[in-house]
Amino acid sequence: MAGQRGPALSGGWGVPQAEPSDAELLRRHVTGDAEAFGQLFLRHRDRLWAVALRTMGDADEAADALQDAMISAFRRAADFRGDSAVTTWLHRIVVNACLDRMRRRAARPVAGDLDLLARTPQAAPDQDVALDVLAALRTLVPDQRAALVMVDMLGYSVADTAEILGVSPGTVKSRCARGRARLLPQLAHLRNQPGVRRVSPPAEGAGEGQS
Amino acid sequence: MRGHVDAESLALYAEGELSRGRTARVRAHLSGCPDCATTLAALADVTTQLSHVPGPAMPAAVTARLDAALNAEAAHRAAAPAPAPAPPSRPPRRNSRWSPAGLRILAGTAVTLVVAGGVGYAVSQFSGSPSSSASAPSRTAKSSAPSSGHRIHGGPFLSPGEQPNTSSPSGTAYAQTGTDYRRGTLAGQAKGELALYGVSGMSGPHQLAPAQVPGQVRTCARQLAHGHPLLFVDQARYQQRPAIVIVLGKPDTAVAATYSCAPLHSARLPVTSGPTTG
């Protein structure tokens, strides 16, 4: 996980030492503490929201999925066995809720995310680019989209993403690869535009993973 | 290798997901094909483009909605037999982290809170049906006889020796006004009712003693308040349907919920001039 620009799933999450751990909060919730689950959710909700929103591509759908997921987690907390990090478990429930919804609904155009993004203050200079990227992302099949959102967009490691999605790391890599290939023609026009910051030239040894 | 390598193969190559033989062939091709090398670079740019999409913060409306849904879930759990002993009452915490966080975000403007159907948290174990408890005139004088005999609510109006048979905090006013609160005017209507019922020394015509309020209503109100001061609980209507409307303090916020404690809408009360706590 070293060098990963994204979040680490296990470990601190910037939680001060004095704060109870995620596992402790979940345990308290199971034993009747009325506030513990809320604390746990508050700790991770922005990240879970980002996963849901970018995977669903629509703010209303994302909110529905996240709500389904959190209520499910609330009820199923006693089933958590501690064989993964609590955050991994939460992410898995959220992603599964998103994928369930996406599979249930027929592919149809949505605009919620675009609308939401348009009101995101920090979106100003790159906004058009971001809108194009999000629109392109919606053309991917759900499995590819979820993998690409987690790895490329939100910076989760392949290993963490694999655990969350319940597939092998190789499957995550190939879903990401196929997703990128599919996005390529849709995003080609954005290359070398002022709004697109090219962070680094392609790696010398192309077999290396992407940063 | 004849021709060019397709983008998918190049992307899989970049991930090390091609077979050894194919990897060698692609590598050999790349060394002599600027076009494919460019495509490979463009694939790396896709990752860059994706990573530059601004991360979204959870909108206040979504925060409020999720808070409310989880509060309702907590209320459901509290109403059901718990597997473990549940704490009888939670002292209000200065930095209570759950619904206050969401409700605090409501500060400033009224935020529409729409709870979609289809989420299985709605509970309906209430003894009285919504319609009977909200519209039946049996419990209270409907429009006349201001405050006849119902001048007890929370702390300020308790007679000596009289115990509130509820764990609700003192200072909570209960009523069954039957008001039809509307989405666009929830905050203003609630403010008006609060002024009538929620101020010490005053009591409106539809005031109820805590004992007259169904336990489920009190439980629901307490759960929706989630540690915030519970100022007012009104058995009323919302958008013409039976509903519970509560007003919380700090910040003053009105919340409408169904009788099964599913939140419907929430809005920050307009602030009047003068110092207010926040």
Side-chain angles (χ1 to χ4, degrees):
Chain A
M1 228 173 267
Q4 186 70 27
R5 73 183 149 79
L9 274 178
S10 52
W13 282 76
V15 178
Q17 291 296 319
E19 294 285 309
S21 68
D22 289 347
E24 170 64 15
L25 284 176
L26 201 61
R27 190 195 63 74
R28 291 184 192 174
H29 165 69
V30 170
T31 55
D33 185 329
E35 288 196 350
F37 193 86
Q39 269 181 271
L40 180 65
F41 179 55
L42 183 59
R43 203 175 269 182
H44 302 298
R45 69 179 181 198
D46 282 338
R47 194 131 282 280
L48 295 171
W49 169 248
V51 169
L53 178 65
R54 295 311 184 209
T55 302
M56 297 301 291
D58 173 78
D60 287 336
E61 296 262 17
D64 286 346
L66 189 54
Q67 182 168 321
D68 286 353
M70 285 306 102
I71 286 170
S72 174
F74 185 104
R75 292 177 180 170
R76 287 160 45 192
D79 298 340
F80 176 73
R81 292 285 170 245
D83 47 5
S84 64
V86 171
T87 49
T88 303
W89 177 74
L90 285 174
H91 276 75
R92 188 181 300 143
I93 293 172
V94 170
V95 172
N96 283 337
C98 290
L99 292 176
D100 283 350
R101 277 185 172 267
M102 290 164 77
R103 287 172 189 136
R104 277 205 304 267
R105 82 177 180 201
R108 55 186 166 85
V110 288
D113 192 21
L114 303 182
D115 183 45
L116 191 78
L117 185 80
R119 285 185 269 112
T120 305
Q122 70 267 34
D126 294 335
Q127 186 161 310
D128 291 343
V129 172
L131 293 175
D132 283 350
V133 171
L134 291 174
L137 199 59
R138 280 201 200 96
T139 66
L140 301 183
V141 296
D143 284 343
Q144 284 176 10
R145 194 150 107 191
L148 213 49
V149 160
M150 298 206 65
V151 175
D152 279 6
M153 188 169 259
L154 300 176
Y156 290 83
S157 72
V158 167
D160 286 344
T161 304
E163 196 179 358
I164 288 166
L165 295 176
V167 298
S168 71
T171 299
V172 171
K173 287 185 190 176
S174 60
R175 283 180 187 173
C176 287
R178 291 178 214 281
R180 289 180 201 121
R182 199 180 159 102
L183 291 181
L184 185 62
Q186 303 180 65
L187 300 182
H189 68 287
L190 299 177
R191 293 190 81 202
N192 305 318
Q193 274 193 7
V196 181
R197 294 162 293 187
R198 290 194 56 189
V199 169
S200 58
E204 291 274 311
E208 294 290 312
Q210 327 226 355
S211 65
Chain B
M1 183 175 284
R2 299 271 166 229
H4 291 300
V5 183
D6 64 279
E8 184 170 308
S9 296
L10 284 171
L12 289 165
Y13 166 80
E15 283 289 355
E17 288 298 304
L18 291 180
S19 68
R20 190 172 302 184
R22 277 208 79 204
T23 299
R25 287 198 293 279
V26 169
R27 183 176 291 139
H29 177 85
L30 280 170
S31 65
C33 180
D35 286 352
C36 284
T38 301
T39 303
L40 189 65
L43 283 164
D45 277 357
V46 170
T47 294
T48 304
Q49 288 165 339
L50 288 170
S51 71
H52 282 164
V53 175
M58 187 182 279
V62 175
T63 306
R65 170 186 160 173
L66 283 161
D67 283 353
L70 283 173
N71 282 341
E73 187 67 18
H76 187 192
R77 185 169 80 152
S89 68
R90 194 169 10 85
R93 286 172 49 171
R94 183 184 54 80
N95 189 23
S96 180
R97 293 176 181 78
W98 188 217
S99 87
L103 292 170
R104 222 173 278 129
I105 295 174
L106 295 172
T109 56
V111 171
T112 302
L113 176 78
V114 179
V115 176
V119 177
Y121 62 74
V123 294
S124 49
Q125 282 92 355
F126 287 158
S127 51
S129 75
S131 55
S132 70
S133 47
S135 57
S138 59
R139 278 215 182 84
T140 178
K142 201 58 178 159
S143 59
S144 59
S147 69
S148 56
H150 291 321
R151 298 205 59 202
I152 42 170
H153 54 102
F157 292 95
L158 282 179
S159 310
E162 187 169 3
Q163 291 295 317
N165 63 344
T166 153
S167 58
S168 60
S170 63
T172 304
Y174 294 95
Q176 185 175 9
T177 67
T179 302
D180 185 21
Y181 293 86
R182 312 299 292 202
R183 171 175 290 272
T185 55
L186 174 64
Q189 288 176 295
K191 190 177 176 65
E193 297 296 338
L194 182 67
L196 190 55
Y197 292 92
V199 178
S200 295
M202 296 185 67
S203 61
H206 305 302
Q207 188 107 23
L208 296 181
Q212 295 174 289
V213 179
Q216 294 91 338
V217 171
R218 283 184 269 120
T219 301
C220 173
R222 211 163 51 241
Q223 290 296 334
L224 291 169
H226 204 83
H228 274 238
L230 184 56
L231 305 178
F232 181 51
V233 178
D234 190 7
Q235 296 173 72
R237 303 177 79 80
Y238 177 73
Q239 300 282 84
Q240 300 184 310
R241 298 212 172 146
I244 304 165
V245 172
I246 67 171
V247 179
L248 312 177
K250 298 183 181 179
D252 289 358
T253 306
V255 179
T258 66
Y259 270 78
S260 49
C261 215
L264 297 167
H265 188 62
S266 121
R268 174 81 197 274
L269 264 56
V271 180
T272 47
S273 58
T276 46
T277 56

